[in-house]
Amino acid sequence: MDWITHDEDVWFDFRGNSPEQLTPGRYYKGTVDGFAEFGVFVDLARGVTGLLHRSELDRRLETLDWESGDTVFVQVKNVRDNGNIDLGWSIRQSESEFRGARVHDPNGDADGEPIESEEDDSGPKPVKKTPKGVSTKSRSQSPSTSSDTGDDDTTSASVAPATNGEQTEAVTTSGDAEADDDGFEFETEAADAESAVSDESDESDEPQSQEREADVEPERVSVDSLGDRVDDLVRIEGEVVGARQTGGPTIFEIRDETAVVDCAAFVEAGVRAYPDVEEGDIVRLDGEVEMRRGELQVETEDLTPLEGDEAETVETRLADALSEKARPDEVEPLGDHDAVAAVTDQLTDAAEAIRTAVLQSRPIVVRHAATADGYVAGAAIERATLPLIREEHARADAEYHFFTRRPLDDPVYGMDAATSDVTRMLQDSERHDEKLPLVVLVGVGGTTDSLDGLGLLGVYGASRIVVDAETVDTEIVDEASVVVSPSLTDVAAGDLSTGALGANLGAAVNADDRAEFAHLPAVSYWTETPTVYAELAAESGYDADRTRELREAIALEAYYQSYQDKRELITDLLFDDDGGLAGHVSEQFRIKLDDEVETAEANLEYREIDGREVAVLDADSYSHKYDFPPTSLLADALHRNADESRAATVVYATDELFVRTSDDVDVRAAAADASAAVPEGGVTAVGIRQNRVEFLSGARRAVVDAVAEAVIDQL
C-alpha cells in the first residue's frame, strides 16, 4: 500500500496506548526492543510494539548495528485486526534528516503540536533527569546535601548508583514531566540551581517528591497486591527475570511468588542503574507504586541483592509457589486409550516443565518432524502454550519471543539441528539477555541418532523434553530432563501415534482449551484410526473425510515449506478452517500423489526372496526429483496400495533407501546385516522412525539387494 500524506516529511512522537491509535503511513520514533530471525521488534510506546520484518530492511538483518534500547525511526505500514503492527524501513535515522517533528497524542490536547528538535549541534545541555514521583532521598539514607548555590530550602542532592561503582549526585527539583523512549515518565531539570528554583518551577503541576523518614522500613508485599497500593512505598522480594535499558531508566522485571512487575531505576538518561544486579539475582526492592499508562510500575528507591540465608528463603518461597502454580491439577486423557493412560504421570511432568518455562519467562523451542503426524503434535503444544504466554506477558509480541516451532526434515535431532539451536540461544542470551530455552523434541529425539544433539544442549544447561510414541532408547532417557513414552511403562504403545500423544500433552498443558485438541489425534493417522479418536473427532464436527483432508493438506504444506514453522497457516488448517482451505490444498495433494504413484507402480521391480514378494523402485529414475511427494511418503503410499501378498517395499535413491513392511522390522539390524554383506557400501541406519538406510552411491545395487534379503530374513 502506498500513502500520499503531508506527514511523511516529519516524525511523530506517539503518546497513545493502543495500536489502533497509530496512523498508517506516518514515521514514528521508536526503541529497539529485541531481535528475532524474522526481523526486529520496535517499541513505539509502552505496550505498543511493532515488527520490522527482515524483508522490509534495505540490508541483511545480521548487518544492522542496532542494539536493544537504541532509538530508531520506522514507518507504520499497517495495523492488523489482531493489533499486530507491520513496520517499514526508514532511510532517515536521525531527527535532522526529517523536516520536523510532531506530537501524536490521541488522548490529549497536544496532538499535532510541533516538537523542538532534541538534536543540537552546540552540544548537550546540562540537564539531569529523575524518575517522576520517586523519592529523592539518598539510597544510603544519608542526609540531604545542599547544592552549590547554598540554597538548602529548594534543592537537594541524592546519591544514586553509577556505572563506575562510585556515587553520583542528582539534582532534584520539580519540573515538567516527559516520557522516555520506552514510555516511562521522568522529569527534566536544569543543572543550574537558580533556574531549577525559578517561579515557573514552583508553579509546576507536578508536586516536588517528599523525602521519607530514614527509620521507616516499608512493608513487604506481594506483586499481585500492588494494584491496591498505588502511591505507597512498598518492599518486594523476588528474582530478577529481565533487565533492559531504555532511553531513560533501567527497567528490572521482578518476579515474586505471585506475579511479575516492571521496576524503573534511574541514574541518568540511558545509563544502566545498579550495573551489578543481573538476571537471576535474588533481590529486595523498595520503591513507590505508580500507575503509568494504565499499567503498574514500581519507581525504585533501593535495590539490594540478597545472599546467604536471606536469598535461600526467598528462593524456596519462589520455587514452592512456582511448582504449585505450574503443575496441572489433574491430567485427563482425551480419550480412553491404554497407552496414554499409562503415561499420565509423564504427561504431568512434561506439562509442568512447559508451564514452568512460561512462568520463568524462558523461551520454548519445539522440534518435530515435518510430517502430518509431527505437525499435529507440534501444533497442539503450540496451541496450548501461546495463551499461557499471552496471559503471563502483556506485550502483544510475547509469543514470538517465548515460543518457536522448528520442523525437522529428518526425524532425528542431529548435530546440525542442535548446533543451529545452540547458536541461536547463545546469540539471544548475549544480545537480549534471554534465558536458555526449554527444548521439546516431539517424535524426533527418541533414538541414539539424537544423542549427540541432546548432549550438546546439555553442555549448555538447556532443559530437554522428549515426547515419542515409539520406543525410546535407554541412553536418551538418561540424557533428557523429561521423557514421555509408553516404552517406559509396562503397557505397549500399540496404535498410539506421536500426534495423538502430542495432542494429549497439549490438553495437559492447557486444560481450559482441551476441547480444541479433540480432533487432532484422528488427523495424525494415515490408516486404521483408533475408534476412540475417530469418534472423538466426529463429536467435534470432524468426520473421516475432513480429517483426511486436514492430514493431506498438512503433508503437502510440510513438504513445500520445510524448515519453517508456518504458524498461521497450520493454525488456520487445524483450528480455524471450515473445510474450504483444507479441501483446496488436499485436492492438490491428491493430484500430485496419485500421478506419482501411478508412474511408480508401472515401474516397480518385483522379486521373490525366500518365497516372499518384495517390490523395489528406483526413485531416481521413476519419480520427479525436488517435487512432491518426498521419497519417504511415496514409499508409504506404494506399500499402502499393495495387496497382502507383498511382504516388503523398498524405494531407493542415489544414496538412501526406505523400507516399508506390514510387520515391524528392525532396520538397524537389517542395516548391520547388509553392512556385513557389503562392507564397502558404508551402510548405516539413519532415521529409525522412517526405516531409512544410507549408503555409498557406488555400491547402491549391492546394498539394495542385501537390505531386501536382511528384511525378509527378519519377517
Side-chain angles (χ1 to χ4, degrees):
M1 178 178 182
D2 296 325
W3 294 276
I4 301 177
T5 169
H6 64 283
D7 293 338
E8 290 195 354
D9 289 335
V10 302
W11 65 266
F12 283 82
D13 176 23
F14 182 61
R15 299 179 181 178
N17 52 26
S18 171
E20 291 74 18
Q21 296 171 331
L22 293 164
T23 301
R26 284 182 174 178
Y27 288 89
Y28 288 91
K29 185 177 182 179
T31 304
V32 175
D33 178 68
F35 297 82
E37 58 186 289
F38 43 79
V40 185
F41 292 103
V42 178
D43 290 338
L44 303 181
R46 179 158 177 77
V48 181
T49 301
L51 172 64
L52 178 61
H53 196 272
R54 64 187 310 156
S55 62
E56 295 288 339
L57 301 176
D58 69 347
R59 66 201 71 180
R60 297 177 62 186
L61 177 62
E62 51 270 26
T63 64
L64 279 178
D65 58 358
W66 293 352
E67 298 290 341
S68 293
D70 283 356
T71 296
V72 296
F73 294 88
V74 292
Q75 185 182 44
V76 171
K77 300 189 70 175
N78 182 41
V79 178
R80 304 188 186 188
D81 292 340
N82 62 3
N84 288 348
I85 306 167
D86 298 327
L87 300 178
W89 173 256
S90 171
I91 195 172
R92 294 170 287 196
Q93 285 299 323
S94 72
E95 295 177 16
S96 61
E97 297 178 55
F98 290 87
R99 293 189 178 181
R102 297 178 184 172
V103 173
H104 182 179
D105 184 7
N107 299 316
D109 296 333
D111 192 47
E113 291 184 1
I115 302 175
E116 293 185 8
S117 175
E118 297 178 9
E119 296 181 357
D120 190 342
D121 295 337
S122 64
K125 291 181 171 56
V127 173
K128 285 290 185 180
K129 300 181 179 180
T130 305
K132 176 182 176 184
V134 175
S135 168
T136 59
K137 184 157 186 66
S138 164
R139 287 186 170 87
S140 61
Q141 296 188 339
S142 58
S144 59
T145 306
S146 63
S147 69
D148 293 340
T149 65
D151 191 345
D152 294 336
D153 295 331
T154 57
T155 308
S156 65
S158 63
V159 182
T163 55
N164 60 3
E166 299 176 356
Q167 289 179 323
T168 302
E169 289 190 351
V171 178
T172 57
T173 64
S174 58
D176 295 330
E178 296 182 359
D180 76 339
D181 294 331
D182 203 45
F184 291 90
E185 296 184 10
F186 52 88
E187 296 176 356
T188 62
E189 303 85 16
D192 189 311
E194 291 185 13
S195 174
V197 297
S198 65
D199 292 340
E200 180 180 355
S201 176
D202 291 339
E203 296 174 359
S204 169
D205 291 336
E206 288 294 334
Q208 187 169 356
S209 298
Q210 301 297 315
E211 295 188 2
R212 304 182 188 276
E213 295 295 333
D215 58 353
V216 175
E217 184 172 290
E219 176 189 3
R220 184 179 75 82
V221 301
S222 60
V223 170
D224 66 352
S225 71
L226 295 182
D228 299 326
R229 302 176 186 274
V230 175
D231 295 331
D232 290 349
L233 180 67
V234 300
R235 169 172 293 176
I236 56 177
E237 294 178 345
E239 178 187 4
V240 178
V241 296
R244 66 185 188 274
Q245 184 60 53
T246 73
T250 305
I251 308 303
F252 294 99
E253 294 178 69
I254 309 296
R255 176 181 64 86
D256 74 353
E257 63 272 23
T258 63
V260 179
V261 67
D262 282 351
C263 303
F266 194 86
V267 179
E268 185 177 343
V271 176
R272 177 69 147 82
Y274 300 100
D276 294 333
V277 175
E278 300 178 350
E279 183 178 313
D281 285 353
I282 302 298
V283 298
R284 174 183 295 126
L285 183 144
D286 295 345
E288 185 173 342
V289 183
E290 301 285 349
M291 186 67 73
R292 300 296 188 207
R293 300 190 179 188
E295 295 190 14
L296 286 169
Q297 172 186 315
V298 178
E299 305 291 351
T300 305
E301 295 194 1
D302 184 65
L303 182 61
T304 305
L306 300 180
E307 298 178 350
D309 292 342
E310 286 186 315
E312 184 177 348
T313 298
V314 177
E315 287 176 331
T316 300
R317 188 165 66 233
L318 293 179
D320 291 345
L322 184 64
S323 179
E324 182 179 355
K325 186 175 181 179
R327 193 163 184 84
D329 295 333
E330 182 180 6
V331 171
E332 181 182 352
L334 291 172
D336 185 11
H337 198 155
D338 291 343
V340 176
V343 298
T344 299
D345 289 343
Q346 299 171 18
L347 288 170
T348 303
D349 292 341
E352 180 180 359
I354 292 172
R355 290 163 61 93
T356 297
V358 173
L359 296 174
Q360 291 178 329
S361 300
R362 184 178 302 281
I364 298 170
V365 177
V366 173
R367 288 289 210 169
H368 62 80
T371 62
D373 188 35
Y375 269 104
V376 166
I381 297 171
E382 176 185 71
R383 187 72 166 186
T385 307
L386 292 187
L388 303 182
I389 293 175
R390 298 186 192 108
E391 179 181 335
E392 187 68 15
H393 301 275
R395 289 167 45 186
D397 61 334
E399 63 191 67
Y400 292 97
H401 281 287
F402 296 111
F403 193 98
T404 304
R405 184 162 51 76
R406 300 175 189 151
L408 289 167
D409 192 40
D410 292 328
V412 171
Y413 189 70
M415 283 296 291
D416 54 346
T419 299
S420 174
D421 288 345
V422 167
T423 300
R424 292 185 187 186
M425 76 183 189
L426 293 179
Q427 289 176 341
D428 290 342
S429 177
E430 178 69 22
R431 295 176 64 183
H432 317 307
D433 293 326
E434 283 190 0
K435 294 184 177 181
L436 296 181
L438 167 67
V439 180
V440 185
L441 305 177
V442 188
V444 295
T447 67
T448 52
D449 301 302
S450 301
L451 194 58
D452 289 341
L454 280 167
L456 182 60
L457 292 176
V459 168
Y460 289 95
S463 297
R464 296 138 292 165
I465 298 176
V466 173
V467 181
D468 204 324
E470 303 286 343
T471 299
V472 173
D473 293 336
T474 302
E475 297 89 338
I476 298 298
V477 176
D478 295 336
E479 187 67 39
S481 308
V482 179
V483 176
V484 181
S485 174
S487 65
L488 304 184
T489 72
D490 296 331
V491 178
D495 54 5
L496 180 64
S497 69
T498 295
L501 188 58
N504 276 280
L505 177 55
V509 170
N510 193 342
D512 292 340
D513 292 340
R514 62 179 284 115
E516 294 197 37
F517 311 123
H519 66 291
L520 296 185
V523 177
S524 67
Y525 290 90
W526 285 99
T527 59
E528 300 179 0
T529 303
T531 302
V532 60
Y533 293 134
E535 293 178 348
L536 196 61
E539 292 172 1
S540 301
Y542 292 80
D543 59 18
D545 286 339
R546 191 170 177 191
T547 56
R548 173 187 57 79
E549 289 179 346
L550 281 174
R551 180 167 53 251
E552 293 173 348
I554 293 172
L556 184 65
E557 295 302 337
Y559 176 78
Y560 281 121
Q561 300 186 45
S562 296
Y563 308 109
Q564 302 177 34
D565 64 18
K566 300 173 288 299
R567 178 175 293 179
E568 288 78 11
L569 177 58
I570 296 301
T571 297
D572 285 347
L573 283 169
L574 285 177
F575 302 105
D576 300 320
D577 181 34
D578 61 2
L581 176 60
H584 172 75
V585 180
S586 173
E587 183 179 1
Q588 302 304 311
F589 168 94
R590 182 54 53 194
I591 291 172
K592 291 178 176 294
L593 182 64
D594 289 349
D595 287 348
E596 198 80 349
V597 168
E598 183 179 0
T599 301
E601 287 182 334
N603 293 280
L604 284 173
E605 175 189 346
Y606 293 94
R607 305 178 184 181
E608 185 174 317
I609 302 175
D610 294 339
R612 308 294 294 275
E613 181 183 278
V614 178
V616 180
L617 176 72
D618 179 356
D620 280 346
S621 300
Y622 301 109
S623 68
H624 295 92
K625 286 187 177 181
Y626 314 119
D627 199 2
F628 185 85
T631 307
S632 61
L633 191 58
L634 176 60
D636 291 339
L638 288 173
H639 196 71
R640 279 199 301 269
N641 290 351
D643 57 36
E644 295 180 357
S645 63
R646 186 188 303 176
T649 301
V650 178
V651 178
Y652 66 91
T654 302
D655 58 359
E656 66 178 5
L657 63 80
F658 296 86
V659 176
R660 297 294 182 265
T661 62
S662 300
D663 299 321
D664 291 337
V665 63
D666 186 345
V667 73
R668 284 177 177 158
D673 292 344
S675 180
V678 190
E680 72 280 9
V683 183
T684 182
V686 179
I688 307 303
R689 296 291 183 260
Q690 288 185 322
N691 277 0
R692 174 178 162 221
V693 176
E694 288 186 351
F695 49 83
L696 299 177
S697 59
R700 178 172 60 178
R701 175 59 64 177
V703 171
V704 171
D705 293 343
V707 170
E709 291 178 2
V711 169
I712 293 301
D713 285 344
Q714 288 190 34
L715 297 180

